[in-house]
Amino acid sequence: MNTNRRGFLKIAATAGVAAVAGPSDARAAPVRRISDDWLGMLTDISLCIGCRKCEWACRKANELGPPDEPIQDYEDMSVFKHHRRTDAKNYTVVNRYPPATPGGNPVDVKKQCMHCNEPACASACLVAAFRKTPEAPVIYNESVCIGCRYCMVACPFTIPAYSYDDPFTPAIKKCTMCFDRISKEGGIPACAEICPEGAISFGKRKDLIALARDKMRDKPGRYVDHIYGEHEVGGTCWLYISPKPFAELGFPELDTIPRPALTKTFLSAVPLVLIAWPALLMGAHAFTRRQEELGKDDKAKHSEKD
Amino acid sequence: MAECSGRPTTWKAWLAGKWYMDQAPGDYWRAVFTSPFNIITGIIICVGLVLTVVRFTQGLEATTNLTNDYPWGLWIGFDVLCGVALAAGGFVIGSAVHLFGMHRYHSLVRPAILTGFLGYFFVVVGLCFDLGRPWRLPYPMGAGYVVTGSNSFGVTSVMFLVGWHVAVYLTVQFLEFCPAVFEWLDRKTLRKWAIRITIGATVFGVILSTLHQSALGALFLLAEGKVHPLWYSPFIPVFFFISAVVGGLSMVIFESMLSHRVFHSQVAHHDPAEADRLVIGLGKAASVLLFTYFCLKWIGVADGQHWDLLNTPYGYWFLVEMFGFVLLPCLLYALGVRRQSASLVRFTSVLTVLGIVLNRLNVSIITFQWNLEDRYFPRWTEFAITVFVVTLGLWTFRFMVNRMPVLYDHPDYPPEH
Ligand code: SF4
Ligand code: SF4
Ligand code: SF4
């Protein structure tokens, strides 16, 4: 809570001018009400075996690879030598980390867009290409994107990727929570559907948090006491529970302030500048004009005397 | 420059007077093609043109080292961020003279506004290389809605603010420069109208500049955790604004030095002693501002409680920037003012400009994603395009300065305040 307050004070201090704009700071901080109807995903890291089938299913569902890509290709475990990130051809990747306890199984972590409650990408985009849908997935509208890539700079999880190799129609690429599939009756995301271990659950965010708590209660000692995404950057709709501290699994350590709040104070100071500056400047101008006229009069008088 | 007066009647006469500056076309072109400066810059421009074709037919991957972790490279870090900061001289000098009545800086207004206008113009040119789909540049201005029917107003975005402001400010600066163009073309009535809007345009320009110079810093507010904590601060909009004012002033000093060397025929009738006095006056302002900036930067460090980070490699680098490129120029400017040494002030302006460039690169590239092992380094083609764009800017500047009343007062049009 303490860090929270400090963070808030920090934001409130932004832009110098904002000091005067007290009331707007109050508006800047609170989280948008989280909807109980929001959908979400829960990844139970302790169940993931690193089979990479979700990677295959995701590429197929989103038509990112060749249409008849064999699933056997994904049995190649050499990819685990390096930690990978999402890119234009892979909306999700699994990375391998050392076991939680010596001699245990390695810990495998699936990574994709977190579908933030208050997405930084959406607040950053100057053409509103990103949208938090009422259902929860954060989706992207390629038809308006100008390709400034500010969303990539802004995302606290560094998820959005760009198809740099495409000269004429480059676009942002990221997980959609399989928006098209889940919009259909009974549809579930491709990665959740294929997972042989049941490591990925799909449902209402509220229910998934309850599920996570149940799991933690039923198997004491199996998980660290943290649902990643419950509060990070104001909460995300993709949640994780894990046998190992998240900081050791490549998860960024983030506070609970929704990212859009970081720029809101600055933006709310804008009208202030728009109103105060012209008045001040015109005032200064009028003042110097008057001074000059007085000066001229004086000179004129002097020269008359001479 | 008296030849400029009188409106030519035929287009041939127009060309002879306005383009060839009353030289014989043959002589003119011979001079153009044999000057060593033109040959070198000509080669740069030819290479740039070829690379432009490559960029727009093969894409960003073929021409840049950008990655998903480093979405912004040299074209944003230098062409856009440094370009805008260093073009701030236009609004700084414009407001000093037109709003605060510092008329002795009058002779600097036009070159500063021309640099500002061209600076912004070529920032946009540079930006077009970087944008994935530059032909959609007008989308945030409403064209996106017209073309696609979907909402394209990103009103929550600082980038939206920057986009609008740069577009509007470009127009304002054009209007501010219009009197010079109309004097060149001998359009008396038009010029009168253009002069009338000067004060309004200046006020508007100051507002726009205050907002977008700081907004460029505010862009990075969202990159908390990516920009190194020593450079990341909630005050970053203020840092960007103040340093841009210093950068603008320093560019004006630097540029007046170049102009006096390169275009001496145009400024010859100016009194060198007066020029020195002006430069020293600007140096004084820059020194005070740099000192304020220096203190504010430390307040930023204190606010984030990042003292421990100073004893790390990035910390040393931060100290280099702070002492070598902020405090040192601040002291040198002060010394220059004290000793009334215009040449020291001029030298310091170069150091200051380098410091501003270093700061922008530190924020956007050098310390960006500081905890990743893979680093971004621009590809040669990125450097080449940047040099190409800067060269285009120089050519345009020279073309206009040689023809329009920028560095001197047009004999037929006495300055008005
Ligand atoms: S994780 Fe990144 S891309 Fe996904 S919604 Fe959040 S900010 Fe946007
Ligand atoms: S790259 Fe596209 S989606 Fe991302 S911020 Fe820019 S315009 Fe918006
Ligand atoms: S939800 Fe869909 S798009 Fe997202 S990672 Fe899973 S399969 Fe891929």
Side-chain angles (χ1 to χ4, degrees), chain A residues 33-192:
Chain A
R33 210 177 65 77
I34 294 175
S35 164
D36 281 346
D37 290 331
W38 273 352
L39 296 169
M41 308 282 282
L42 172 68
T43 304
D44 182 343
I45 296 175
S46 74
L47 295 177
C48 177
I49 55 166
C51 68
R52 300 180 61 216
K53 289 199 167 60
C54 55
E55 291 184 20
W56 175 82
C58 178
R59 297 231 310 168
K60 197 171 168 70
N62 292 294
E63 295 169 7
L64 301 175
D68 46 0
E69 198 179 26
I71 196 166
Q72 288 79 8
D73 287 1
Y74 286 77
E75 286 162 16
D76 172 15
M77 298 292 145
S78 64
V79 293
F80 289 144
K81 271 187 223 141
H82 305 285
H83 290 155
R84 295 172 297 155
R85 57 151 292 148
T86 52
D87 62 37
K89 293 265 180 272
N90 300 282
Y91 293 178
T92 186
V93 291
V94 179
N95 285 319
R96 174 157 290 178
Y97 294 87
T101 46
N105 290 326
V107 180
D108 299 307
V109 183
K110 174 186 183 303
K111 178 185 199 153
Q112 73 297 306
C113 170
M114 300 291 284
H115 299 279
C116 306
N117 292 354
E118 296 211 45
C121 56
S123 83
C125 179
L126 78 169
V127 288
F130 283 100
R131 172 164 77 90
K132 178 86 180 162
T133 56
E135 297 84 353
V138 176
I139 58 167
Y140 159 78
N141 173 8
E142 183 184 326
S143 73
V144 291
C145 171
I146 67 171
C148 68
R149 308 186 298 280
Y150 184 33
C151 48
M152 301 168 70
V153 169
C155 171
F157 304 96
T158 329
I159 291 299
Y162 201 62
S163 48
Y164 289 107
D165 57 341
D166 184 342
F168 303 115
T169 55
I172 295 290
K173 303 280 179 178
K174 76 163 195 75
C175 156
T176 62
M177 209 192 267
C178 287
F179 190 66
D180 290 342
R181 290 169 63 109
I182 63 177
S183 300
K184 290 188 197 109
E185 193 51 39
I188 77 164
C191 54

Side-chain angles (χ1 to χ4, degrees), chain A residues 14 85 123-124 126-127 141-142 145-150 152-153 155 162 164 168 170 259 267 277 285 288 292, chain B residues 56 61 67-69 71-72 98-99 103 130 132-133 135-136 150 152 154 156-157 203 210 219 224 226 234:
Chain A
T14 311
R85 57 151 292 148
S123 83
L126 78 169
V127 288
N141 173 8
E142 183 184 326
C145 171
I146 67 171
C148 68
R149 308 186 298 280
Y150 184 33
M152 301 168 70
V153 169
C155 171
Y162 201 62
Y164 289 107
F168 303 115
R259 286 289 157 137
L267 288 172
W277 246 215
H285 176 60
T288 42
E292 274 161 25
Chain B
F56 289 108
E61 188 160 280
T67 64
N68 291 322
D69 287 328
W72 286 353
H98 292 309
L99 300 181
H103 297 301
D130 185 78
R133 304 197 199 187
W135 48 92
R136 288 183 175 177
S150 37
S152 66
T156 56
S157 168
V203 171
T210 313
L219 284 178
E224 186 175 25
K226 294 186 187 173

Side-chain angles (χ1 to χ4, degrees), chain B residues 311-334:
Chain B
N311 194 15
T312 62
Y314 276 112
Y316 307 146
W317 185 233
F318 183 74
L319 294 175
V320 169
E321 184 191 320
M322 290 301 294
F323 286 97
F325 293 92
V326 181
L327 189 62
L328 182 64
C330 169
L331 296 176
L332 288 179
Y333 268 138

